[in-house]
Amino acid sequence: MSINTERDIEANMQIGPTDQGMVRIFIEATGVEIPMDFDPEEAEEIADEIRAAAMAARAVTD
């Protein structure tokens, strides 16, 4: 499976701070729960990567 492979899977995603000072991305799909914890610096890097991907996606559709 690659990033361009479409799947018909429904999932929920939550993002927020934990009581341990981490940022958690929590993915839930049928029968699967994936908690991913990142320190704030890693979370900021991920946010930068998401923003860069959004800009690249806009360039494809413009």
Side-chain angles (χ1 to χ4, degrees):
M1 181 170 95
S2 72
I3 199 141
N4 288 316
T5 303
E6 291 187 34
R7 299 282 188 219
D8 190 19
I9 299 172
E10 189 173 316
N12 296 311
M13 179 174 67
Q14 297 177 348
I15 303 171
T18 70
D19 59 1
Q20 300 294 311
M22 302 291 280
V23 175
R24 177 167 288 168
I25 299 175
F26 185 79
I27 308 292
E28 181 182 15
T30 305
V32 177
E33 293 182 350
I34 305 170
M36 296 177 285
D37 291 348
F38 304 93
D39 64 43
E41 291 78 19
E42 289 174 310
E44 289 173 345
E45 289 176 16
I46 292 167
D48 290 342
E49 290 179 27
I50 291 171
R51 279 190 281 278
M55 288 175 48
R58 279 193 192 101
V60 170
T61 59
D62 288 343

